[in-house]
Every structure is written in structure tokens, then in C-alpha cells.
Amino acid sequence: MSDLHELCGFQTRPIGSKYVEDLKFYLKNGIPATYTIEEAYNYTHNIEEEPTTTTTPLHIICSHMPTDASNEELDIINQMVEILLEYGAGWCLTDINNETPGCILIRRKLNDSPIYKQIVSAGVRAELLLRKVSEYDMEIIEDTDDLNHEQFESLKEDEEPADEEHKEEESSNISDITNQQNSGQLEENFKNDPSGNQETYLKTKLEYKDDALVTKDRKDGVMMSWETDLMRMGCDSLFRGANIEGKVDDEVNILNIGFGMGIIDTMINEKNPTKQYICEAHPDVLAKLRHDGWYEKPNVVILEGRWQEQLNKLLSEGNVFFNGIYYDTYSEHYEDMLELFDIVVGILKPHGVFSFFNGLGADRQVVYEVYKQLVEMDLANYGLVCKFEQIEVPESTLKVEDTNATENKSVWDDIKRAYWTCPTYYHPEARFMDV
Ligand SMILES: C[S@@+](CC[C@H](N)C(=O)[O-])C[C@H]1O[C@@H](n2cnc3c(N)ncnc32)[C@H](O)[C@@H]1O
């Protein structure tokens, strides 16, 4: 382990200002804030292979920060985190246990600490920067080949490097993409993955089961009935947009993007709006809509196709405006949602409500919290204020190994990959600012 790594392990107490001085000294002398234990180990052992896990100084701080630290010590640790982040420490790099620094704090129940807040803010800044970088087609060159290890290395022999066999499968879409953008293999997998690629998804056969809509062969969960309570909240939000100063609007129009299992659409229909628009792109889902009689319902309009085409048409025709718009699609990304905001502000009535299934980054709690802040900022740029209501999700959605209740069935038992692993759902309700 290098001196920098050792420093971040807080082996001597109390943690005083010398820690900050030493940290600054190492960083100013060229040790990268992202210098990993694995890089240090490989260098000392003449291993040329690029390590696949990244245990950074920030990880070490998060796992060694004492739970009995005094306020003065916490202040020093906080300063150290601030300095590391200033010097470019990664908020979403993953260590040997597939944990980011934020994940470690959550596991240690330290996510109320200012350090956790700093990490989430750094995540927001990093994602905004990444967006700019891709917008302008810039390249971030990360070359660690010419690191001057000799200058800062003093690795102990007993320190074990990252072990491939212990490495868990990466699970966060967003941090995967951030970490491993350059991998051609990943790109290929991504193309063939219906959950991440819309073109592939729309050609993939779907299957309706009792409690889920899944892709027939791979068993990706497109929609699952455990989300029913979340859909109820979504439906209630949409109809709040029908209320203008205590009176119900003369014409209540609701738009739902993505039919799936029809859970939210059934709830909307029961409230009998003037017009219920449903936009749906997948042929198997459209067949289900036909089979279940949705085309015959007098107040229902079905927009067949992707919202990207269908809603632009509505927008340019300019003769229907909505009290509520709900968005819950599949195999789309955050950038798609940003594109949707352009249309939402053009077809939402002044008192209307926009809501969506908030699963942004929800396979990793710290990423979920970063995206909660990002979407709030992005909606604000469109003049929409987004408020979040918190609810606990059913325990059966937390992976079996996390619940300590192996006898309980997990909703993910027959599903390829859990797209949700967070204990709390942040239900979004957005309205124009001046309403
Ligand atoms: C998660 S499900 C929606 C579940 C729904 N909220 C419910 O309550 O059952 C997502 C749906 O969005 C549809 N979809 C995906 N991309 C779409 C797009 N670009 N335009 C319209 N529909 C889309 C999928 O085919 C799928 O039926």
C-alpha cells in the first residue's frame, strides 16, 4: 500500500490537521487522487495487466472513517474528501466488492454524513461534465502509464490485490457506462441487450406473465406488478393537474407514455377523464391493448409508435393539451427523457402535472440520489418544479441476500437482472414554477 493509501486508513488518532497537510503534499507532488491500491500492488509486483477493480483513496477513507470520530476529526475527514474530489477523485469507481465510496458509506450507515453529501454533489457535477463532454464530442484521456510510482510507492507485501474471482458482476447501468466507455465488447453487448437498446427491444418477443411483462428469451423485466403502488401515486399526481384553484377542469386530458401491463392506464380509465391518450411502441403490447378491448373504449386514443414520433405530431398539430403526462418506457436512457422535456412543456396545460416512473440509477442507491438531484435541476431548466414524495418499496424487491430473509420470495427470482435495489422510492411530481 502506498503512503497515500495508508494515510487514508486513519491508523493514528486523533485525526488532526497533519492528515490534511500530508494529503495535500502527496497530491501536489503528482499522486493522482484516483491512484488505486491495485495499481500500487501491480507496480510493486511487476504485473503489467491493467487492474479491473479500482480501490481509490476515497474508498479507503469511506471504509476506515471511524464511527466514533469527534466533530473535529470529522471536520478533518470532510476536508480530506473535499481535497480529493477537487483533485479528481472518482465518485463512482468500484472496488473489489463492486462498491463505490458512497455504497460503502451506505453499508456502514454513514449516509447522513456530510461526506456522503459531498460524494453525491460530486456525482451531480461529474454527470453534468460528462454530458458536456459527449455533447462536444471531447475525449477524456486517462493515461496512467507514466505514473511515477517510485516517487510515491511503499507497498506492503501482505496487501492482497483485487481478486478477479471475488469480483461481483457490475450492476449499475449508469456507473458501468461512466467507468468503461471505451470497451468494444461492452458496446456489442449493449447493442444486443433489449434493456439498453430500443431498436433491439422493439424487435424482441415479449411475454405476459401473472405478475410481470418480460422479454421472452432473456427474461428481462419490462414491467412488474410490485410497482402497482408507485403507479397509484403516479395516477393520483396526474389528476391533481386537473384541479384549477379548487375546481375540476372542464376538459381533463391525460397522456400515458408506455402501456406495459396497463396498470396505470387501468387506474386512469377508472377515473373517467375526458380523453385518455396512450402512447405505445411495442407490437406485442399493442396486440395486448387490442385483445383487451382498449381500442373500443370511447374516451381512449391510442398513439401507435414511439413517443418520439407520435408526440411531435401532437405538438405540431397543437390542438390537444394535457392535465397530466406520465412517462414510463423501457430501454430508454436519461438523454431520451431530456428530449421528452422539450415536448412536455409544449403540450402540458399551465396547471398540468408531469410525472414519471423514477427508476433513474435505481440499481445503486448513491446513483439514484445523484439522478434525483440531476432530474430536479434539468426540470427546473424547463421551468418545472419537481417535488418528491418518499415511500418504502416492498421488501420483496430488495435482493434476497440483502434482506436476511432467505425464506421470503424475491420479485427477481425469475428475472434476469434486478433493475431496482433501493429501499426508498422518490415519487416525482413536476409543475410549472409560477402555478
Ligand atoms: C415499464 S412499461 C410501462 C408500464 C406501465 N406504466 C404500467 O403501469 O403497466 C414500458 C412500456 O413502454 C413501452 N415503450 C418503450 N419505449 C417506448 C417509446 N419510445 N415510445 C412508446 N412506448 C415505449 C414499452 O413497450 C412498454 O410497454
Side-chain angles (χ1 to χ4, degrees):
M1 194 183 282
S2 73
D3 291 345
L4 169 62
H5 297 132
E6 217 148 85
L7 180 81
C8 296
F10 305 121
Q11 285 175 10
T12 53
R13 302 274 299 270
I15 301 164
S17 55
K18 177 87 171 67
Y19 272 89
V20 172
E21 284 162 29
D22 286 355
L23 178 66
K24 281 187 178 162
F25 173 80
Y26 294 134
L27 297 174
K28 279 188 178 157
N29 280 287
I31 307 186
T34 51
Y35 187 46
T36 66
I37 292 189
E38 294 84 344
E39 281 172 316
Y41 181 91
N42 283 5
Y43 172 73
T44 339
H45 291 79
N46 279 324
I47 301 170
E48 292 211 341
E49 226 169 275
E50 194 63 26
T52 53
T53 60
T54 45
T55 310
T56 64
L58 200 51
H59 286 91
I60 306 173
I61 289 187
C62 293
S63 46
H64 287 81
M65 162 183 169
T67 46
D68 63 351
S70 66
N71 286 343
E72 290 74 23
E73 288 182 307
L74 283 177
D75 187 45
I76 296 288
I77 301 173
N78 209 26
Q79 283 181 51
M80 289 174 74
V81 170
E82 195 177 328
I83 294 164
L84 277 168
L85 290 170
E86 252 173 45
Y87 274 82
W91 74 280
C92 67
L93 295 175
T94 48
D95 66 6
I96 185 173
N97 300 314
N98 187 26
E99 286 185 317
T100 68
C103 300
I104 297 173
L105 292 178
I106 293 167
R107 174 170 50 73
R108 296 186 69 207
K109 302 200 180 353
L110 294 170
N111 45 330
D112 274 340
S113 64
I115 292 161
Y116 183 77
K117 289 195 180 80
Q118 275 206 69
I119 289 172
V120 171
S121 304
V124 173
R125 289 195 302 273
E127 292 303 303
L128 288 173
L129 179 67
L130 197 72
R131 201 186 292 173
K132 281 281 164 227
V133 167
S134 9
E135 222 173 88
Y136 295 109
D137 207 16
M138 283 151 65
E139 216 180 310
I140 295 180
I141 300 166
E142 206 178 279
D143 187 1
T144 51
D145 287 353
D146 57 358
L147 280 183
N148 188 357
H149 291 267
E150 279 146 21
Q151 189 190 331
F152 45 72
E153 192 51 48
S154 71
L155 189 78
K156 284 190 188 121
E157 288 298 326
D158 57 357
E159 205 58 44
E160 276 305 308
D163 180 342
E164 276 294 313
E165 276 170 24
H166 293 142
K167 205 173 70 107
E168 282 175 22
E169 197 190 319
E170 292 278 323
S171 69
S172 166
N173 273 342
I174 291 167
S175 45
D176 276 355
I177 294 161
T178 316
N179 286 346
Q180 304 174 346
Q181 274 184 327
N182 294 327
S183 154
Q185 182 56 43
L186 261 185
E187 228 168 73
E188 196 50 38
N189 293 346
F190 187 69
K191 248 197 259 158
N192 299 328
D193 175 3
S195 69
N197 185 301
Q198 177 105 141
E199 222 183 302
T200 308
Y201 165 67
L202 292 176
K203 287 188 213 140
T204 301
K205 217 60 212 120
L206 304 182
E207 183 180 15
Y208 279 94
K209 300 176 120 194
D210 282 348
D211 54 359
L213 169 63
V214 297
T215 56
K216 202 165 180 356
D217 297 333
R218 287 170 41 116
K219 309 290 179 227
D220 301 285
V222 176
M223 178 65 187
M224 299 176 77
S225 61
W226 68 262
E227 292 176 40
T228 300
D229 287 348
L230 314 183
M231 293 301 126
R232 169 71 57 207
M233 292 174 94
C235 176
D236 290 349
S237 285
L238 299 183
F239 281 87
R240 277 198 275 278
N243 224 303
I244 307 172
E245 284 152 17
K247 275 179 48 195
V248 177
D249 198 351
D250 295 340
E251 192 179 294
V252 178
N253 298 326
I254 304 289
L255 164 67
N256 175 41
I257 307 164
F259 181 79
M261 294 172 75
I263 299 176
I264 198 168
D265 276 303
T266 303
M267 293 169 180
I268 294 169
N269 203 257
E270 279 162 5
K271 289 185 173 252
N272 205 21
T274 316
K275 277 274 179 314
Q276 172 177 6
Y277 281 68
I278 302 170
C279 180
E280 174 54 51
H282 198 290
D284 294 354
V285 181
L286 287 167
K288 170 83 173 157
L289 274 152
R290 196 171 294 281
H291 178 267
D292 291 353
W294 285 88
Y295 281 79
E296 281 79 54
K297 291 188 195 282
N299 57 342
V300 171
V301 179
I302 295 167
L303 304 171
E304 290 187 359
R306 299 180 71 222
W307 62 263
Q308 287 84 343
E309 286 100 45
Q310 293 302 317
L311 299 189
N312 269 318
K313 250 192 254 164
L314 276 194
L315 181 67
S316 46
E317 285 162 11
N319 47 27
V320 57
F321 298 95
F322 294 98
N323 298 79
I325 301 176
Y326 195 74
Y327 172 75
D328 179 14
T329 63
Y330 184 73
S331 79
E332 295 202 318
H333 303 281
Y334 191 62
E335 302 77 59
D336 297 297
M337 204 156 130
L338 289 176
E339 227 178 87
L340 177 74
F341 295 167
D342 281 338
I343 303 177
V344 165
V345 291
I347 56 175
L348 191 65
K349 289 186 186 180
H351 288 80
V353 167
F354 170 63
S355 185
F356 55 92
F357 170 67
N358 184 12
L360 299 166
D363 48 7
R364 200 182 275 275
Q365 192 177 337
V366 61
V367 183
Y368 190 52
E369 295 191 20
V370 165
Y371 270 77
K372 172 176 177 270
Q373 290 194 13
L374 262 183
V375 77
E376 201 176 344
M377 284 167 55
D378 282 319
L379 284 166
N381 282 336
Y382 282 86
L384 291 159
V385 186
C386 187
K387 300 221 166 94
F388 293 94
E389 196 181 323
Q390 290 191 26
I391 64 156
E392 302 308 304
V393 293
E395 213 179 296
S396 54
T397 62
L398 305 175
K399 279 196 206 162
V400 172
E401 67 260 29
D402 293 344
T403 60
N404 295 327
T406 25
E407 72 276 11
N408 285 351
K409 203 174 145 38
S410 155
V411 298
W412 311 114
D413 283 350
D414 304 316
I415 300 290
K416 187 173 172 70
R417 187 178 73 87
Y419 57 81
W420 182 278
T421 61
C422 300
T424 306
Y425 178 74
Y426 297 127
H427 166 68
E429 186 176 303
R431 296 164 175 274
F432 284 112
M433 273 171 191
D434 50 1
V435 176

